[in-house]
Amino acid sequence: MTSLVRVRFAPSPTGYLHVGGVRTALFNWLFARHHKGKFVLRIEDTDATRSTDESIDEILTSMRWLGLNWDEGPFRQVERQSIYKQRADLLLREGKAYPCFCTTEELGKKRKEAQTKGLKPKYDGTCRNRLDKPKDIPFVIRFKAPLEGTVTVNDLLRGNVIFKNEELDDLIILRSDGTPTYNFVVVVDDSDMKITHVIRGDDHLSNTPRQALLYDGLGLPRPKFAHMSMILGSDKTRLSKRHGATSVLAYRDMGYLPDALINYLARLGWSHGDQEIFTRQEMIQHFSLENVTTSSAIFNPEKLQWLNQQYIQNSTPTDLASQLEPFLIKEGVLTEKHGLGKEEIAKPIPSLNQRAQTLIEMAQKSAFYFKKDPVFDEEIRDKFLNKDIKPYIQKLIININDMVVLEHNSLENLFKNLAKEADLKLGKLAQPVRVALTGSTVSPGIYDVILLLGKTTTLKRLNEAVTFIEKK
């Protein structure tokens, strides 16, 4: 591309940032990075009744967590009101817009009459050629759209999409209180911010002919448009809360890694051969609109969980430790003032990362290592720590105490010999020891657990298990 690519992500701050919005942001971000262009963040807060500062904070927090860094912004439309007024006045002066004095009641009546006649319930142009200007009567400003002909939107994903002008009506660009409407401000902003490509969901496709006419009316070049398919739930309906979490930060709080979520969303509607797992750099290198499909993407929570597990398995323990730490605190495994460095937090990760699907699961499974004493499931402890297993735990204590250095092979030989001596399957010995050391029947391999805990802690917990059995 010869000119500098400039794209934007323009969320409305009326709630949390959902996964559909993030995918839109991601595709724009990848397109900008691939073409060494600019990624602009704009907050579309013209709806003062629904926009909140809390939503803006959540959007920015979500973008930062995902690593979708922006080059310019965040711009806020609420700070550009005078600019919109100037552009509306320009259209009025040039006869391309007009004041409309029709009341809400009158418009409602017109709409009902049109529906009764089987016509499209659009504005009938009552004030389009009106010459008088009644005083002290509220009015809106409408854009004077062509009555005949067609509007052709050249969509980079869908080809030419043609709309009949007779299907469109004279769009309100300024409300009676002077505030601008969505379609108008989008055109003014995208032009002022020199946006070259508008990449967004296909739910905006119906807005595009109106925006195209506004570009033409203002004498502005149109950007290139690309409308992506929507993300659907497993039942092929629009993704919503009933399909599971849709908030980006909800996935953060459930223990998903940002790179895993980014990778998953990138593959919803885009592909590069059969490759499933991408680094950020690979996504940037290979991303193109030519490989974005117009078919609806189906959100599959199980696939996302699998991908998250792959990222957990392939992250370095030190990198994972930084992301695991807040979950250890949240789950009560560590306190806020635990004083442990990243290296210490990273120690149990190699024995946990092959099984954990989320950081929450990893935090819970690492409690045996970080807590002073294991947290027991009483029913499990009663079942496995009994008088029959006591003598073998005592023999383990003696043998481990005699070991100068704990090592995997020595521990494995010790357990196998004891199991053979007791005529037990290895699991029948290992499982009670696992319960004694971790409080649970699920943990890393028993030899790994002992090596992680170290000699002193292992002997302490085994002795406590013997005491528990004797008290029973």
Side-chain angles (χ1 to χ4, degrees):
M1 295 189 181
T2 54
S3 60
L4 179 69
V5 164
R6 291 178 61 85
V7 296
R8 47 72 165 181
F9 176 53
S12 298
T14 55
Y16 57 76
L17 182 59
H18 55 81
V19 293
V22 169
R23 188 187 62 156
T24 299
L26 172 62
F27 280 25
N28 277 277
W29 185 84
L30 289 171
F31 190 77
R33 297 292 175 258
H34 178 81
H35 292 289
K36 296 179 170 56
K38 298 294 182 182
F39 177 60
V40 178
L41 179 60
R42 184 173 75 226
I43 305 298
E44 298 194 334
D45 54 357
T46 53
D47 188 345
T49 59
R50 298 177 62 216
S51 299
T52 67
D53 288 340
E54 290 78 12
S55 291
I56 294 175
D57 290 341
E58 177 150 328
I59 289 168
L60 299 182
T61 299
S62 300
M63 296 284 284
R64 290 186 181 112
W65 176 65
L66 290 166
L68 297 178
N69 56 312
W70 52 92
D71 302 302
E72 297 176 19
F75 299 107
R76 294 187 61 175
Q77 291 177 330
V78 73
E79 297 168 352
R80 293 171 47 82
Q81 299 298 302
S82 61
I83 297 171
Y84 308 135
K85 179 70 164 58
Q86 291 170 10
R87 301 299 172 85
D89 288 344
L90 174 64
L91 290 173
L92 280 169
R93 287 196 304 272
E94 294 181 346
K96 297 174 181 177
Y98 60 91
C100 173
F101 298 91
C102 297
T103 65
T104 304
E105 291 75 16
E106 289 171 336
L107 293 173
K109 185 178 178 181
K110 293 174 188 290
R111 193 177 296 110
K112 285 184 179 179
E113 288 175 354
Q115 289 173 332
T116 300
K117 295 176 182 178
L119 302 174
K120 185 172 177 133
K122 65 174 189 172
Y123 180 62
D124 64 359
T126 298
C127 296
R128 186 180 174 102
N129 298 309
R130 187 170 181 170
L131 298 177
D132 64 315
K133 294 186 177 180
K135 292 183 179 180
D136 303 322
I137 295 180
F139 62 89
V140 299
I141 303 297
R142 288 184 182 271
F143 175 68
K144 193 178 287 187
L147 299 175
E148 299 176 342
T150 59
V151 183
T152 300
V153 174
N154 182 258
D155 191 289
L156 295 174
L157 298 178
R158 301 165 187 273
N160 288 338
V161 185
I162 300 172
F163 299 86
K164 293 181 179 179
N165 285 329
E166 64 186 41
E167 295 291 317
L168 310 174
D169 58 3
D170 290 350
L171 183 73
I172 295 174
I173 58 175
L174 286 186
R175 302 180 184 93
S176 58
D177 63 359
T179 58
T181 58
Y182 167 76
N183 281 303
F184 183 53
V185 296
V186 165
V187 169
V188 174
D189 287 344
D190 284 346
S191 174
D192 285 358
M193 295 174 190
K194 297 179 172 54
I195 300 302
T196 60
H197 296 75
V198 173
I199 304 169
R200 58 189 178 186
D202 61 9
D203 54 328
H204 285 285
L205 185 57
S206 60
N207 291 321
T208 309
R210 295 176 171 86
Q211 292 170 13
L213 291 174
L214 283 167
Y215 278 107
D216 299 347
L218 288 164
L220 302 171
R222 301 181 191 176
K224 295 177 180 177
F225 292 97
H227 290 89
M228 307 180 301
S229 61
M230 302 295 288
I231 300 177
L232 304 180
S234 56
D235 57 358
K236 305 295 178 67
T237 61
R238 187 167 178 170
L239 191 66
S240 66
K241 287 183 178 179
R242 71 175 180 275
H243 299 109
T246 56
S247 161
V248 171
L249 294 186
Y251 283 98
R252 177 199 65 180
D253 296 341
M254 288 192 295
Y256 285 82
L257 301 181
D259 284 344
L261 184 57
I262 285 290
N263 192 154
Y264 180 70
L265 292 177
R267 289 286 290 111
L268 284 183
W270 171 76
S271 63
H272 176 69
D274 295 327
Q275 188 171 343
E276 289 284 352
I277 299 177
F278 295 82
T279 65
R280 297 258 176 155
Q281 197 51 48
E282 286 175 328
M283 283 186 236
I284 291 170
Q285 178 186 346
H286 299 304
F287 186 81
S288 70
L289 292 177
E290 286 77 10
N291 290 325
V292 174
T293 178
T294 55
S295 301
S296 296
I298 306 298
F299 191 86
N300 184 335
E302 290 77 21
K303 183 68 174 291
L304 171 58
Q305 194 170 67
W306 172 83
L307 197 58
N308 197 57
Q309 187 173 23
Q310 302 306 303
Y311 271 83
I312 286 176
Q313 289 176 359
N314 293 297
S315 296
T316 66
T318 306
D319 287 344
L320 210 53
S322 300
Q323 301 181 76
L324 178 63
E325 183 178 5
F327 290 93
L328 291 170
I329 294 170
K330 183 180 176 182
E331 293 295 315
V333 177
L334 293 178
T335 63
E336 289 277 0
K337 299 179 180 180
H338 55 77
L340 298 179
K342 294 292 183 289
E343 294 75 14
E344 186 63 29
I345 293 175
K347 279 186 179 179
I349 288 177
S351 64
L352 297 167
N353 64 355
Q354 297 305 305
R355 300 182 183 183
Q357 294 182 313
T358 67
L359 292 176
I360 287 181
E361 189 180 345
M362 182 176 283
Q364 292 169 342
K365 288 182 176 180
S366 65
F368 78 90
Y369 175 75
F370 291 108
K371 281 186 167 291
K372 182 180 178 181
D373 297 301
V375 178
F376 289 99
D377 179 311
E378 294 301 330
E379 186 176 336
I380 289 174
R381 183 160 67 163
D382 285 339
K383 176 182 177 181
F384 285 95
L385 299 185
N386 53 55
K387 58 182 177 59
D388 294 332
I389 204 68
K390 176 187 169 184
Y392 304 106
I393 293 179
Q394 288 175 317
K395 288 183 179 181
L396 269 178
I397 291 171
I398 294 169
N399 281 274
I400 291 174
N401 187 57
D402 288 342
M403 289 182 178
V404 178
V405 178
L406 297 184
E407 56 181 19
H408 189 281
N409 288 343
S410 299
L411 290 169
E412 184 177 5
N413 289 333
L414 172 59
F415 270 77
K416 285 182 176 178
N417 290 335
L418 276 177
K420 184 177 181 181
E421 177 187 329
D423 196 22
L424 289 173
K425 289 184 178 179
L426 187 59
K428 293 290 186 180
L429 173 62
Q431 197 71 318
V433 175
R434 177 177 284 108
V435 171
L437 296 179
T438 70
S440 171
T441 57
V442 180
S443 77
I446 191 62
Y447 315 130
D448 292 331
V449 169
I450 294 172
L451 291 171
L452 271 172
L453 291 176
K455 187 175 182 177
T456 302
T457 301
T458 297
L459 291 174
K460 172 180 173 291
R461 294 186 180 183
L462 290 177
N463 277 303
E464 287 171 350
V466 171
T467 301
F468 170 78
I469 294 169
E470 289 173 348
K471 286 182 178 178
K472 283 175 65 177

